[in-house]
Coordinates of all heavy atoms in Angstrom, one line a residue:
M1 N 12.4 0.2 15.1 CA 11.7 1.4 14.9 C 12.4 2.2 13.8 O 13.6 2.2 13.7 CB 11.6 2.2 16.2 CG 10.9 3.6 16.0 SD 10.8 4.5 17.6 CE 12.6 4.9 17.8
A2 N 11.6 2.9 12.9 CA 12.2 3.7 11.8 C 12.8 4.9 12.4 O 12.4 5.5 13.4 CB 11.0 4.1 10.9
D3 N 14.0 5.2 11.7 CA 14.7 6.4 12.1 C 14.1 7.7 11.5 O 13.5 7.7 10.4 CB 16.2 6.3 11.6 CG 16.9 5.2 12.3 OD1 16.6 4.9 13.5 OD2 17.8 4.6 11.6
L4 N 14.3 8.8 12.2 CA 13.8 10.1 11.7 C 14.6 10.4 10.4 O 15.7 10.2 10.2 CB 14.1 11.2 12.7 CG 13.2 11.2 14.0 CD1 13.7 12.3 14.9 CD2 11.8 11.4 13.6
L5 N 13.8 11.0 9.4 CA 14.4 11.4 8.2 C 15.0 12.8 8.3 O 14.4 13.6 9.1 CB 13.4 11.4 7.0 CG 12.8 10.1 6.7 CD1 11.7 10.3 5.6 CD2 13.8 9.1 6.2
S6 N 16.1 13.1 7.6 CA 16.6 14.5 7.7 C 15.7 15.4 6.8 O 14.9 14.9 6.0 CB 18.0 14.4 7.1 OG 18.0 14.1 5.7
D7 N 15.9 16.7 6.9 CA 15.2 17.6 6.1 C 15.4 17.3 4.6 O 14.4 17.3 3.9 CB 15.6 19.1 6.4 CG 15.2 19.5 7.8 OD1 14.3 18.8 8.4 OD2 15.8 20.5 8.3
E8 N 16.6 17.0 4.3 CA 16.9 16.7 2.8 C 16.2 15.4 2.4 O 15.6 15.4 1.3 CB 18.4 16.5 2.6 CG 19.2 17.8 2.8 CD 19.4 18.2 4.3 OE1 19.2 17.3 5.2 OE2 19.6 19.4 4.6
E9 N 16.2 14.4 3.2 CA 15.5 13.1 2.9 C 14.0 13.3 2.8 O 13.4 12.8 1.9 CB 15.9 12.1 4.0 CG 17.3 11.6 3.9 CD 17.6 10.7 5.2 OE1 17.1 11.0 6.3 OE2 18.4 9.7 5.0
I10 N 13.5 14.1 3.6 CA 12.0 14.4 3.6 C 11.7 15.1 2.2 O 10.8 14.7 1.5 CB 11.5 15.2 4.7 CG1 11.7 14.5 6.1 CG2 10.1 15.7 4.5 CD1 11.5 15.3 7.3
A11 N 12.5 16.1 1.9 CA 12.3 16.8 0.6 C 12.4 15.9 -0.6 O 11.7 16.0 -1.5 CB 13.3 18.0 0.5
E12 N 13.3 14.9 -0.5 CA 13.5 14.0 -1.6 C 12.4 13.0 -1.7 O 11.9 12.6 -2.8 CB 14.8 13.2 -1.4 CG 16.1 13.9 -1.7 CD 17.3 13.2 -1.1 OE1 17.1 12.0 -0.6 OE2 18.4 13.8 -1.0
R13 N 11.8 12.6 -0.6 CA 10.9 11.4 -0.5 C 9.4 11.8 -0.5 O 8.6 11.0 -0.7 CB 11.2 10.5 0.7 CG 12.6 9.9 0.7 CD 12.8 9.0 1.8 NE 14.2 8.6 2.0 CZ 14.6 7.5 2.7 NH1 13.6 6.8 3.3 NH2 15.8 7.2 2.8
I14 N 9.1 13.1 -0.2 CA 7.7 13.4 0.0 C 7.0 13.2 -1.3 O 7.4 13.7 -2.3 CB 7.6 14.9 0.6 CG1 6.2 15.1 1.1 CG2 8.0 15.9 -0.4 CD1 6.0 16.3 2.0
P15 N 5.9 12.5 -1.2 CA 5.2 12.2 -2.5 C 4.4 13.3 -3.1 O 4.1 14.3 -2.4 CB 4.2 11.0 -2.1 CG 4.7 10.5 -0.8 CD 5.4 11.7 -0.1
D16 N 4.0 13.2 -4.3 CA 3.3 14.3 -5.0 C 2.0 14.6 -4.2 O 1.3 13.7 -3.7 CB 2.8 13.8 -6.4 CG 4.0 13.7 -7.4 OD1 5.1 14.3 -7.0 OD2 3.9 13.1 -8.4
G17 N 1.7 15.9 -4.1 CA 0.5 16.3 -3.5 C 0.6 16.5 -2.0 O -0.3 17.1 -1.4
W18 N 1.7 16.1 -1.4 CA 1.9 16.2 0.1 C 2.8 17.4 0.4 O 3.6 17.8 -0.4 CB 2.5 14.9 0.6 CG 1.6 13.8 0.6 CD1 1.2 13.0 -0.6 CD2 0.8 13.2 1.6 NE1 0.3 12.1 -0.2 CE2 0.0 12.1 1.1 CE3 0.7 13.5 3.0 CZ2 -0.8 11.4 1.9 CZ3 -0.2 12.7 3.8 CH2 -0.9 11.7 3.2
E19 N 2.5 18.0 1.6 CA 3.3 19.1 2.1 C 3.8 18.8 3.4 O 3.2 18.0 4.2 CB 2.4 20.4 2.2 CG 1.8 20.8 0.9 CD 2.8 21.5 -0.1 OE1 3.8 22.0 0.4 OE2 2.6 21.4 -1.3
R20 N 5.0 19.3 3.8 CA 5.5 19.1 5.1 C 5.0 20.3 6.0 O 5.1 21.4 5.6 CB 7.1 19.1 5.1 CG 7.6 18.9 6.5 CD 9.1 19.0 6.6 NE 9.5 18.8 8.0 CZ 10.8 18.7 8.3 NH1 11.7 18.9 7.4 NH2 11.1 18.5 9.6
E21 N 4.5 19.9 7.2 CA 4.2 20.9 8.2 C 4.8 20.5 9.5 O 4.3 19.6 10.2 CB 2.7 21.0 8.3 CG 1.9 21.6 7.2 CD 0.5 21.8 7.4 OE1 0.0 21.6 8.6 OE2 -0.3 22.1 6.4
D22 N 6.0 21.1 9.8 CA 6.8 20.7 11.0 C 7.1 19.2 11.0 O 7.8 18.7 10.2 CB 6.0 21.2 12.2 CG 5.8 22.7 12.2 OD1 6.7 23.4 11.8 OD2 4.7 23.1 12.6
D23 N 6.5 18.5 12.0 CA 6.8 17.1 12.2 C 5.8 16.2 11.5 O 5.7 15.0 11.8 CB 6.9 16.7 13.7 CG 8.2 17.3 14.3 OD1 9.1 17.5 13.6 OD2 8.2 17.4 15.5
E24 N 5.0 16.7 10.6 CA 4.0 16.0 9.9 C 4.1 16.2 8.4 O 4.7 17.2 7.9 CB 2.6 16.4 10.3 CG 2.3 16.2 11.7 CD 0.9 16.7 12.1 OE1 0.5 17.8 11.6 OE2 0.1 16.0 12.8
I25 N 3.6 15.2 7.6 CA 3.3 15.5 6.2 C 1.8 15.4 6.0 O 1.1 14.6 6.7 CB 4.1 14.5 5.2 CG1 3.7 13.1 5.5 CG2 5.6 14.7 5.3 CD1 4.3 12.1 4.5
V26 N 1.3 16.3 5.2 CA -0.2 16.5 5.1 C -0.6 16.6 3.6 O 0.1 17.1 2.8 CB -0.5 17.9 5.7 CG1 -2.1 18.1 5.8 CG2 0.1 18.0 7.1
R27 N -1.8 16.0 3.4 CA -2.4 16.1 2.1 C -3.9 16.2 2.3 O -4.5 15.4 3.1 CB -2.1 15.0 1.1 CG -2.8 15.2 -0.3 CD -2.4 14.2 -1.4 NE -3.1 14.5 -2.6 CZ -3.0 13.8 -3.7 NH1 -2.1 12.8 -3.8 NH2 -3.7 14.1 -4.8
T28 N -4.6 17.1 1.6 CA -6.1 17.1 1.5 C -6.5 16.5 0.2 O -6.3 17.1 -0.8 CB -6.6 18.6 1.7 OG1 -6.1 19.1 3.0 CG2 -8.1 18.6 1.7
F29 N -7.2 15.4 0.3 CA -7.8 14.7 -0.8 C -9.2 15.2 -1.1 O -10.0 15.4 -0.1 CB -7.8 13.2 -0.6 CG -6.5 12.5 -0.4 CD1 -5.8 12.5 0.8 CD2 -5.8 12.0 -1.5 CE1 -4.6 11.9 0.9 CE2 -4.6 11.4 -1.4 CZ -4.0 11.3 -0.2
E30 N -9.5 15.6 -2.3 CA -10.8 16.2 -2.7 C -11.7 15.3 -3.4 O -11.2 14.5 -4.2 CB -10.5 17.5 -3.5 CG -9.7 18.5 -2.7 CD -9.4 19.8 -3.5 OE1 -9.6 19.8 -4.8 OE2 -8.9 20.8 -2.9
F31 N -13.0 15.4 -3.1 CA -14.0 14.5 -3.7 C -15.2 15.3 -4.1 O -15.5 16.3 -3.5 CB -14.4 13.4 -2.7 CG -13.2 12.6 -2.3 CD1 -12.4 12.9 -1.2 CD2 -12.8 11.4 -3.0 CE1 -11.3 12.2 -0.8 CE2 -11.7 10.7 -2.6 CZ -11.0 11.1 -1.5
D32 N -15.9 14.8 -5.1 CA -17.2 15.5 -5.5 C -18.3 15.1 -4.6 O -19.3 15.9 -4.4 CB -17.6 15.0 -7.0 CG -16.6 15.6 -8.0 OD1 -15.9 16.6 -7.7 OD2 -16.4 14.9 -9.0
E33 N -18.3 13.9 -4.0 CA -19.4 13.5 -3.1 C -18.9 13.1 -1.8 O -17.8 12.6 -1.6 CB -20.0 12.2 -3.8 CG -20.6 12.4 -5.2 CD -21.8 13.4 -5.2 OE1 -22.4 13.5 -4.1 OE2 -22.0 14.0 -6.3
Y34 N -19.7 13.4 -0.8 CA -19.3 13.1 0.6 C -19.1 11.6 0.8 O -18.1 11.2 1.5 CB -20.4 13.6 1.6 CG -20.0 13.5 3.0 CD1 -19.2 14.4 3.6 CD2 -20.5 12.4 3.8 CE1 -18.9 14.3 5.0 CE2 -20.1 12.3 5.2 CZ -19.3 13.3 5.7 OH -19.0 13.2 7.0
L35 N -19.9 10.8 0.2 CA -19.7 9.3 0.3 C -18.5 8.8 -0.4 O -17.9 7.8 0.0 CB -21.0 8.6 -0.1 CG -22.2 8.8 0.8 CD1 -23.4 8.0 0.2 CD2 -21.9 8.4 2.2
D36 N -18.0 9.6 -1.4 CA -16.7 9.2 -2.0 C -15.6 9.5 -1.0 O -14.7 8.7 -0.9 CB -16.5 10.0 -3.3 CG -17.4 9.6 -4.4 OD1 -18.0 8.5 -4.3 OD2 -17.6 10.4 -5.4
A37 N -15.7 10.6 -0.3 CA -14.7 10.9 0.7 C -14.7 9.9 1.8 O -13.7 9.4 2.3 CB -15.0 12.3 1.3
S38 N -15.9 9.5 2.2 CA -16.0 8.5 3.3 C -15.5 7.1 2.9 O -14.9 6.4 3.6 CB -17.4 8.4 3.8 OG -18.3 7.8 2.9
G39 N -15.7 6.8 1.6 CA -15.2 5.5 1.1 C -13.7 5.5 1.0 O -13.0 4.5 1.4
F40 N -13.1 6.7 0.6 CA -11.6 6.8 0.6 C -11.1 6.7 2.1 O -10.1 5.9 2.3 CB -11.2 8.2 0.1 CG -9.7 8.4 0.2 CD1 -8.8 7.9 -0.6 CD2 -9.3 9.2 1.3 CE1 -7.4 8.2 -0.5 CE2 -7.9 9.5 1.5 CZ -7.0 8.9 0.6
L41 N -11.8 7.3 3.0 CA -11.3 7.3 4.4 C -11.3 5.8 4.9 O -10.4 5.4 5.6 CB -12.2 8.2 5.3 CG -11.7 8.4 6.7 CD1 -12.0 9.8 7.2 CD2 -12.3 7.4 7.7
S42 N -12.4 5.1 4.6 CA -12.4 3.7 5.0 C -11.3 2.9 4.4 O -10.7 2.1 5.1 CB -13.8 3.1 4.6 OG -13.9 1.8 5.0
A43 N -11.1 3.1 3.1 CA -10.0 2.3 2.4 C -8.7 2.7 3.0 O -7.8 1.8 3.2 CB -10.0 2.6 0.9
A44 N -8.5 4.0 3.3 CA -7.2 4.4 3.9 C -7.0 3.8 5.3 O -5.9 3.4 5.6 CB -7.2 6.0 4.0
A45 N -8.1 3.7 6.0 CA -8.0 3.1 7.3 C -7.5 1.6 7.2 O -6.7 1.1 8.0 CB -9.3 3.1 8.1
G46 N -8.0 0.9 6.1 CA -7.6 -0.4 5.9 C -6.1 -0.5 5.6 O -5.4 -1.4 6.1
V47 N -5.7 0.4 4.7 CA -4.2 0.4 4.4 C -3.4 0.7 5.6 O -2.4 0.1 5.8 CB -4.0 1.5 3.3 CG1 -2.5 1.7 3.1 CG2 -4.6 1.1 2.0
A48 N -3.9 1.6 6.4 CA -3.1 2.0 7.7 C -3.1 0.8 8.6 O -2.0 0.5 9.2 CB -3.8 3.1 8.3
E49 N -4.2 0.1 8.8 CA -4.2 -1.1 9.7 C -3.3 -2.2 9.1 O -2.5 -2.8 9.9 CB -5.6 -1.6 9.9 CG -5.7 -2.6 11.0 CD -5.3 -2.1 12.4 OE1 -5.1 -0.8 12.6 OE2 -5.0 -2.9 13.3
D50 N -3.3 -2.3 7.8 CA -2.4 -3.3 7.2 C -1.0 -3.0 7.5 O -0.2 -3.9 7.8 CB -2.7 -3.4 5.7 CG -1.8 -4.3 4.9 OD1 -1.9 -5.5 5.3 OD2 -1.0 -3.9 4.1
A51 N -0.6 -1.8 7.4 CA 0.8 -1.3 7.7 C 1.1 -1.1 9.1 O 2.2 -0.9 9.6 CB 1.1 -0.1 6.9
F52 N 0.0 -1.1 9.9 CA 0.1 -0.8 11.4 C 0.8 0.6 11.5 O 1.7 0.7 12.4 CB 0.7 -1.9 12.2 CG 0.2 -1.8 13.6 CD1 -1.1 -1.9 13.9 CD2 1.1 -1.6 14.7 CE1 -1.6 -1.9 15.3 CE2 0.7 -1.5 16.0 CZ -0.7 -1.7 16.3
H53 N 0.3 1.5 10.7 CA 0.9 2.9 10.8 C -0.3 3.8 10.5 O -0.9 3.7 9.4 CB 2.0 3.1 9.8 CG 2.7 4.4 10.0 ND1 3.6 4.6 11.1 CD2 2.7 5.6 9.4 CE1 4.0 5.8 11.1 NE2 3.6 6.4 10.0
H54 N -0.7 4.6 11.5 CA -2.0 5.2 11.5 C -2.0 6.7 11.3 O -1.5 7.4 12.2 CB -2.8 4.8 12.8 CG -2.8 3.3 12.9 ND1 -1.9 2.6 13.6 CD2 -3.7 2.4 12.5 CE1 -2.2 1.3 13.6 NE2 -3.3 1.1 12.9
P55 N -2.6 7.2 10.3 CA -2.7 8.7 10.1 C -3.8 9.3 10.9 O -4.7 8.6 11.3 CB -2.9 8.8 8.6 CG -3.6 7.6 8.2 CD -3.1 6.5 9.1
E56 N -3.7 10.6 11.1 CA -4.8 11.4 11.6 C -5.6 11.8 10.3 O -5.1 12.4 9.4 CB -4.3 12.6 12.3 CG -5.4 13.6 12.8 CD -4.8 14.8 13.4 OE1 -3.8 14.7 14.1 OE2 -5.4 15.9 13.1
M57 N -6.9 11.5 10.3 CA -7.7 11.8 9.2 C -9.0 12.6 9.6 O -9.6 12.2 10.5 CB -8.1 10.5 8.4 CG -6.9 9.8 7.9 SD -7.3 8.4 6.7 CE -7.8 7.2 7.9
T58 N -9.3 13.6 8.8 CA -10.4 14.5 9.1 C -11.3 14.6 7.9 O -10.8 15.0 6.8 CB -10.0 15.9 9.6 OG1 -9.1 15.8 10.7 CG2 -11.2 16.7 10.0
I59 N -12.6 14.2 8.0 CA -13.5 14.2 6.8 C -14.4 15.4 7.0 O -14.9 15.7 8.1 CB -14.3 12.9 6.7 CG1 -15.1 13.0 5.4 CG2 -15.1 12.6 7.9 CD1 -15.8 11.6 5.0
T60 N -14.5 16.2 5.9 CA -15.5 17.3 5.8 C -16.2 17.2 4.5 O -15.8 16.3 3.7 CB -14.8 18.7 6.0 OG1 -13.8 18.8 5.0 CG2 -14.2 18.8 7.3
W61 N -17.1 18.1 4.1 CA -17.8 18.0 2.9 C -16.7 18.0 1.7 O -16.0 19.0 1.5 CB -18.7 19.2 2.7 CG -19.2 19.4 1.3 CD1 -18.9 20.4 0.5 CD2 -20.1 18.5 0.6 NE1 -19.5 20.2 -0.7 CE2 -20.3 19.1 -0.7 CE3 -20.7 17.3 0.9 CZ2 -21.1 18.5 -1.6 CZ3 -21.5 16.7 0.0 CH2 -21.7 17.3 -1.3
G62 N -16.6 16.8 1.0 CA -15.8 16.8 -0.2 C -14.3 16.7 0.0 O -13.6 16.8 -0.9
E63 N -13.9 16.6 1.3 CA -12.5 16.5 1.5 C -12.1 15.6 2.7 O -12.9 15.4 3.6 CB -12.0 17.9 2.0 CG -12.0 19.0 0.9 CD -11.4 20.3 1.4 OE1 -11.1 20.4 2.6 OE2 -11.1 21.2 0.6
V64 N -10.9 14.9 2.5 CA -10.3 14.2 3.6 C -8.9 14.7 3.8 O -8.1 14.6 2.9 CB -10.3 12.7 3.4 CG1 -9.6 11.9 4.5 CG2 -11.7 12.1 3.2
E65 N -8.7 15.3 5.0 CA -7.3 15.8 5.3 C -6.6 14.7 6.0 O -7.1 14.1 7.0 CB -7.3 17.0 6.2 CG -5.9 17.5 6.5 CD -5.9 18.6 7.6 OE1 -6.1 18.3 8.8 OE2 -5.7 19.8 7.2
V66 N -5.4 14.3 5.5 CA -4.6 13.2 6.1 C -3.3 13.8 6.6 O -2.6 14.5 5.9 CB -4.3 12.1 5.1 CG1 -3.6 11.0 5.8 CG2 -5.6 11.6 4.5
R67 N -3.0 13.5 7.9 CA -1.8 14.0 8.5 C -1.0 12.7 9.0 O -1.5 11.9 9.7 CB -2.1 14.9 9.8 CG -2.6 16.2 9.3 CD -2.9 17.1 10.5 NE -3.2 18.4 10.0 CZ -2.3 19.4 9.7 NH1 -1.0 19.1 9.9 NH2 -2.7 20.6 9.2
L68 N 0.3 12.7 8.6 CA 1.1 11.5 9.0 C 2.4 12.0 9.7 O 3.0 13.0 9.4 CB 1.6 10.8 7.7 CG 0.6 9.8 7.1 CD1 0.9 9.5 5.6 CD2 0.6 8.5 7.9
T69 N 2.6 11.3 10.8 CA 3.9 11.4 11.6 C 4.1 10.1 12.3 O 3.1 9.3 12.5 CB 3.8 12.6 12.6 OG1 5.2 12.8 13.1 CG2 2.9 12.3 13.7
T70 N 5.3 9.8 12.7 CA 5.6 8.6 13.4 C 5.7 8.9 14.9 O 6.8 9.5 15.3 CB 6.9 7.9 12.9 OG1 6.7 7.6 11.5 CG2 7.1 6.6 13.6
H71 N 4.7 8.6 15.6 CA 4.7 9.0 17.0 C 5.8 8.4 17.8 O 6.5 9.0 18.6 CB 3.4 8.6 17.7 CG 2.2 9.2 16.9 ND1 1.9 10.5 16.9 CD2 1.2 8.6 16.2 CE1 0.8 10.7 16.2 NE2 0.4 9.6 15.7
D72 N 6.1 7.1 17.5 CA 7.2 6.4 18.2 C 8.5 7.1 18.1 O 9.4 7.0 18.9 CB 7.3 5.0 17.7 CG 6.0 4.2 18.1 OD1 5.2 4.6 18.9 OD2 5.8 3.1 17.4
A73 N 8.7 7.7 16.9 CA 10.0 8.4 16.6 C 10.0 9.9 16.9 O 11.1 10.5 16.9 CB 10.4 8.1 15.1
G74 N 8.8 10.4 17.1 CA 8.7 11.8 17.3 C 8.9 12.7 16.1 O 9.4 13.9 16.2
G75 N 8.6 12.1 14.9 CA 8.7 13.0 13.7 C 8.5 12.1 12.5 O 7.8 11.1 12.5
I76 N 9.0 12.6 11.4 CA 8.7 12.0 10.1 C 9.7 10.9 9.7 O 11.0 11.2 9.8 CB 8.8 13.1 9.0 CG1 7.7 14.2 9.3 CG2 8.5 12.5 7.6 CD1 7.9 15.4 8.5
T77 N 9.2 9.7 9.4 CA 10.1 8.6 9.0 C 9.6 8.1 7.7 O 8.6 8.5 7.1 CB 10.0 7.5 10.1 OG1 8.7 6.9 10.0 CG2 10.3 8.0 11.5
E78 N 10.3 7.0 7.2 CA 10.0 6.4 5.9 C 8.6 5.7 6.1 O 7.9 5.6 5.0 CB 11.0 5.4 5.5 CG 11.2 4.2 6.4 CD 12.3 3.3 5.9 OE1 13.0 3.7 5.0 OE2 12.4 2.2 6.5
N79 N 8.2 5.4 7.3 CA 6.8 4.9 7.5 C 5.8 5.9 7.0 O 4.7 5.5 6.4 CB 6.5 4.5 8.9 CG 7.4 3.4 9.4 OD1 7.9 2.6 8.6 ND2 7.6 3.3 10.7
D80 N 6.1 7.1 7.2 CA 5.1 8.2 6.8 C 5.1 8.4 5.3 O 4.1 8.5 4.7 CB 5.4 9.5 7.5 CG 5.4 9.3 9.0 OD1 4.3 8.9 9.5 OD2 6.4 9.6 9.7
T81 N 6.3 8.5 4.7 CA 6.4 8.7 3.3 C 5.9 7.5 2.5 O 5.2 7.7 1.5 CB 7.8 9.1 2.8 OG1 8.8 8.1 3.3 CG2 8.2 10.5 3.4
D82 N 6.2 6.3 3.0 CA 5.6 5.1 2.4 C 4.1 5.1 2.4 O 3.4 4.7 1.4 CB 6.2 3.8 3.0 CG 7.7 3.6 2.8 OD1 8.3 4.4 1.9 OD2 8.3 2.7 3.5
M83 N 3.6 5.4 3.6 CA 2.1 5.4 3.7 C 1.5 6.5 2.8 O 0.5 6.2 2.2 CB 1.7 5.7 5.2 CG 0.2 5.8 5.5 SD -0.7 4.3 5.0 CE 0.1 3.1 6.1
A84 N 2.1 7.6 2.7 CA 1.6 8.7 1.8 C 1.6 8.2 0.4 O 0.6 8.4 -0.3 CB 2.5 9.9 1.9
E85 N 2.6 7.5 0.0 CA 2.6 6.9 -1.4 C 1.4 5.9 -1.6 O 0.7 6.0 -2.6 CB 3.9 6.1 -1.7 CG 5.1 7.0 -1.9 CD 5.1 7.6 -3.3 OE1 4.1 7.5 -4.1 OE2 6.1 8.3 -3.6
R86 N 1.2 5.1 -0.6 CA 0.1 4.1 -0.7 C -1.2 4.8 -0.7 O -2.1 4.4 -1.5 CB 0.2 3.1 0.5 CG 1.4 2.2 0.5 CD 1.4 1.2 1.6 NE 0.3 0.2 1.5 CZ 0.1 -0.8 2.4 NH1 1.0 -0.9 3.4 NH2 -0.8 -1.7 2.3
L87 N -1.4 5.9 0.0 CA -2.7 6.6 0.0 C -2.9 7.3 -1.3 O -4.0 7.3 -1.9 CB -2.8 7.6 1.2 CG -2.8 6.9 2.5 CD1 -2.9 7.9 3.6 CD2 -3.8 5.8 2.7
N88 N -1.8 7.8 -1.9 CA -1.9 8.4 -3.3 C -2.4 7.3 -4.2 O -3.2 7.6 -5.1 CB -0.5 8.9 -3.8 CG -0.2 10.3 -3.2 OD1 -1.0 10.9 -2.4 ND2 0.9 10.8 -3.6
G89 N -1.9 6.1 -4.0 CA -2.3 5.0 -4.9 C -3.7 4.6 -4.9 O -4.3 4.2 -5.9
I90 N -4.4 4.8 -3.7 CA -5.8 4.4 -3.7 C -6.7 5.6 -4.1 O -7.9 5.5 -4.2 CB -6.2 3.9 -2.3 CG1 -6.1 4.9 -1.2 CG2 -5.5 2.6 -2.0 CD1 -6.7 4.4 0.1
Y91 N -6.0 6.8 -4.3 CA -6.8 8.0 -4.7 C -6.9 8.1 -6.2 O -7.9 8.3 -6.7 CB -6.1 9.2 -4.0 CG -6.8 10.5 -4.4 CD1 -8.1 10.8 -3.9 CD2 -6.2 11.5 -5.1 CE1 -8.7 12.0 -4.2 CE2 -6.8 12.7 -5.4 CZ -8.1 13.0 -5.0 OH -8.7 14.1 -5.3
E92 N -5.7 8.0 -6.8 CA -5.7 8.2 -8.3 C -6.5 7.1 -9.0 O -6.6 6.0 -8.5 CB -4.2 8.2 -8.8 CG -3.6 9.6 -8.8 CD -2.9 9.9 -7.5 OE1 -2.5 8.9 -6.9 OE2 -2.8 11.1 -7.1
Ligands
H2B1 C1 3.0 0.8 19.7 C2 2.8 1.8 18.6 O1 1.6 2.5 18.8 C3 2.6 1.0 17.3 O2 3.9 0.4 17.0 C4 2.3 1.9 16.1 C5 0.8 2.1 15.9 N1 0.6 3.0 14.8 C6 1.4 4.1 14.6 N2 1.0 5.1 13.9 C7 1.7 6.2 13.7 N3 1.4 7.2 12.9 N4 2.9 6.3 14.4 C8 3.3 5.4 15.3 O3 4.4 5.6 15.9 C9 2.6 4.2 15.4 N5 3.0 3.2 16.1

């Protein structure tokens, strides 16, 4: 199981566009079309399943909010920062 990251490690590793909120890292991805948002959500689910590390994702008009934390560890680990990087990669 991945170890919890320190506050300093989180600050160093948090990818562009993401913010820390207590024991989670969060990013809201924006889209012009609802179906673009749903396509991103579906692709993100595939990446999550591939990594077996699952974010909380909420889709609304033109946005997908993604929240990452490692439940098994009770906080933020490299699994979260790595997943955040991967999700940035399918967005840009
Ligand atoms: C047994 C445990 O649920 C699995 O190892 C995986 C599944 N997906 C997961 N996803 C997230 N976000 N955190 C976890 O700790 C986690 N654990």
Side-chain angles (χ1 to χ4, degrees):
M1 179 179 69
D3 294 331
L4 290 175
L5 297 177
S6 67
D7 292 344
E8 294 75 20
E9 289 169 325
I10 294 166
E12 285 165 12
R13 300 183 189 198
I14 194 164
D16 290 346
W18 292 76
E19 300 288 333
R20 180 187 180 172
E21 289 185 10
D22 300 322
D23 287 339
E24 297 178 317
I25 58 173
V26 186
R27 180 173 181 179
T28 298
F29 294 89
E30 298 179 348
F31 302 89
D32 293 334
E33 301 292 337
Y34 188 79
L35 290 181
D36 292 342
S38 67
F40 171 82
L41 189 143
S42 179
V47 169
E49 190 60 16
D50 176 60
F52 206 58
H53 192 70
H54 305 90
E56 175 185 322
M57 298 192 280
T58 306
I59 184 170
T60 55
W61 166 250
E63 291 185 348
V64 176
E65 180 187 76
V66 182
R67 291 182 170 272
L68 277 160
T69 191
T70 301
H71 303 293
D72 295 343
I76 300 166
T77 71
E78 64 183 9
N79 292 338
D80 301 305
T81 54
D82 290 351
M83 176 61 58
E85 283 287 3
R86 291 181 69 177
L87 296 182
N88 281 0
I90 65 172
Y91 179 66
E92 270 88 27

